[in-house]
Amino acid sequence: SRTMITIIPLVNNNGNPNIEAIMNGWKYYSKGMTKVIIHSKEDLTIDLALNQILSGFVILNLILEDDIYKGFFTSRIDIIGGKRCFAINQMFLDSRGDNEFLFKIDTEIMEITKQYNCSHIYFWTTREKGFKEKLESIGYKPTYTEFVKEVNYG
């Protein structure tokens, strides 16, 4: 049986965050976000994640399979290296993250990317082992490894 993947960005018609929809489902989404945060190298908290969504810094996109909630990703439009990019900041999949399922999600993400007139998709992850093989199998190439140093004044 063929499954259908639907991605629903939680925004109003004007593109601003749909606060009511976000808050109504936050008890579900926050469970997944908590799992994402475990792998975030300490630079993300549940409050910061929610604030980024509510302020419109990132868009919360729900992933449905045959109308059943399967996870989410957050995204934003960015200019990276002079290219207009659809950047995926966090992704949580409720259950299976097999290559076929990821391919179906990616196919839908590419449709969204076209609507925003982006030439590239950037997928940020701290979990290289978990995503590298799967993402490469659907056409992604690794780019940067990021190094961060905290600067203290005082």
Side-chain angles (χ1 to χ4, degrees):
S1 67
R2 289 182 49 86
T3 59
M4 191 169 107
I5 301 296
T6 310
I7 294 174
I8 302 173
L10 294 187
V11 292
N12 297 320
N13 292 336
N14 58 11
N16 291 328
N18 183 332
I19 307 284
E20 187 179 353
I22 293 163
M23 295 312 296
N24 282 344
W26 186 245
K27 65 178 177 252
Y28 303 108
Y29 318 140
S30 63
K31 289 177 187 164
M33 187 62 81
T34 300
K35 291 179 180 176
V36 169
I37 287 169
I38 289 167
H39 300 284
S40 72
K41 311 285 193 215
E42 300 177 13
D43 64 347
L44 187 65
T45 64
I46 198 75
D47 289 338
L48 178 58
L50 181 58
N51 285 337
Q52 287 181 344
I53 292 164
L54 294 176
S55 70
F57 181 74
V58 295
I59 293 172
L60 178 62
N61 302 272
L62 304 187
I63 301 168
L64 306 180
E65 182 181 37
D66 296 329
D67 297 326
I68 298 167
Y69 172 75
K70 290 295 182 176
F72 67 82
F73 64 91
T74 61
S75 62
R76 58 178 281 129
I77 306 304
D78 221 335
I79 305 295
I80 302 170
K83 298 178 277 250
R84 187 171 165 85
C85 301
F86 187 82
I88 297 170
N89 293 37
Q90 295 98 18
M91 181 178 278
F92 170 74
L93 300 177
D94 206 16
S95 54
R96 53 174 223 269
D98 61 54
N99 290 20
E100 183 186 348
F101 188 57
L102 202 56
F103 176 78
K104 288 178 181 176
I105 293 168
D106 187 60
T107 301
E108 294 305 312
I109 288 172
M110 289 193 338
E111 287 303 312
I112 295 170
T113 301
K114 286 180 199 167
Q115 293 170 20
Y116 285 110
N117 202 25
C118 294
S119 62
H120 291 74
I121 301 169
Y122 272 72
F123 188 105
W124 306 109
T125 183
T126 58
R127 299 183 61 204
E128 187 176 343
K129 285 187 179 129
F131 281 102
K132 184 178 189 312
E133 192 177 297
K134 290 175 184 170
L135 289 172
E136 285 181 340
S137 77
I138 57 175
Y140 288 80
K141 296 182 185 114
T143 54
Y144 299 99
T145 300
E146 189 174 79
F147 295 87
V148 177
K149 179 180 179 179
E150 185 174 352
V151 180
N152 291 311
Y153 300 99

